[in-house]
Amino acid sequence: MDELGDVVVAETTLQARIVELGQQVTEDYADRSPLLVGVLKGAFMFMADLARAIRLPVEFDFMAVSSYGSATKTSGVVRIVKDLDLDLSDRHVLIVEDIVDSGLTLAYLRRNLLARNPATLEVCALLVKDGLQRVDLDLKYVGFTIPPEFVVGYGLDVRERHRNLPYVCVYEGD
Ligand code: 5GP
């Protein structure tokens, strides 16, 4: 497929880092039971692998957001397409995000979830694009910092395609 460019994070690198993140979460949340909140659809694969690397009783919930804009640019205006099923009050909530670009989606989510009174609220982002953030993000866990290019794979799509690639690569189509 010639619309797929250079590999940005290879499968083995990705998996090794996720194991490390899981260990870190396990240590940090010892004796607590975090509620993992996955941001659909992009984070589904990361959520599944991260959860298997966490050695604690965890619970799951998912939320779907859509940001207005073109396929490859976010506008920062976010709409909740599917809300959480669970009550967040007094829970130790860990937002699991696929990728942070401008940071606007995450800033919105954080504000929205904080208003539901969790005991703690932290963020685990697999990928963070270098230097693009316009807001202070305060990310507790980051998998990789990557160059500011549009990428697909490992949950990330373009028009719903390429989510099933086991690695992350640059998208060169239009
Ligand atoms: P932000 O609000 O941080 O600018 O954008 C975050 C959202 O935009 C992500 O959750 C993801 O849905 C989408 N996004 C940002 N960068 C990329 C990218 O390089 N590839 C894909 N497939 N989606 C991206």
Side-chain angles (χ1 to χ4, degrees):
M1 273 180 281
D2 42 354
E3 58 189 32
L4 298 181
D6 290 346
V7 172
V8 177
V9 190
E11 183 175 0
T12 48
T13 316
L14 206 52
Q15 293 301 334
R17 179 73 185 123
I18 292 169
V19 168
E20 284 177 3
L21 289 173
Q23 285 167 348
Q24 238 179 297
V25 170
T26 305
E27 281 171 31
D28 295 350
Y29 287 83
D31 304 323
R32 291 183 288 171
S33 174
L35 171 60
L36 305 183
V37 169
V39 185
L40 295 172
K41 300 176 189 170
F44 78 100
M45 219 172 264
F46 176 42
M47 178 91 149
D49 285 339
L50 178 69
R52 278 177 283 192
I54 298 175
R55 300 285 177 243
L56 292 171
V58 296
E59 287 174 44
F60 298 87
D61 207 346
F62 292 93
M63 172 162 198
V65 297
S66 81
S67 48
Y68 295 102
S70 65
T72 58
K73 283 249 160 24
T74 41
S75 64
V77 181
V78 179
R79 184 166 60 100
I80 296 180
V81 178
K82 182 220 170 289
D83 206 347
L84 299 173
D85 297 325
L86 302 177
D87 181 2
L88 299 191
S89 47
D90 304 321
R91 298 304 312 270
H92 295 284
V93 175
L94 182 59
I95 301 177
V96 179
E97 250 290 29
D98 49 3
I99 188 163
V100 179
D101 186 347
S102 68
L104 292 170
T105 305
L106 198 55
Y108 170 83
L109 275 178
R110 191 193 280 277
R111 268 199 316 277
N112 186 288
L113 299 190
L114 267 179
R116 306 181 196 199
N117 299 315
T120 60
L121 181 68
E122 300 292 354
V123 177
C124 180
L126 180 63
L127 306 168
V128 176
K129 286 200 196 167
D130 213 4
L132 290 187
Q133 290 75 48
R134 285 184 264 156
V135 281
D136 180 21
L137 288 174
D138 186 20
L139 303 171
K140 180 144 187 176
Y141 309 96
V142 172
F144 302 90
T145 301
I146 62 167
E149 285 176 288
F150 192 82
V151 294
V152 293
Y154 200 69
L156 293 166
D157 75 314
V158 61
R159 293 180 286 270
E160 298 302 329
R161 294 189 55 223
H162 306 307
R163 290 193 199 275
N164 59 323
L165 294 173
Y167 51 86
V168 175
C169 69
V170 175
Y171 178 72
E172 289 182 340
D174 38 47

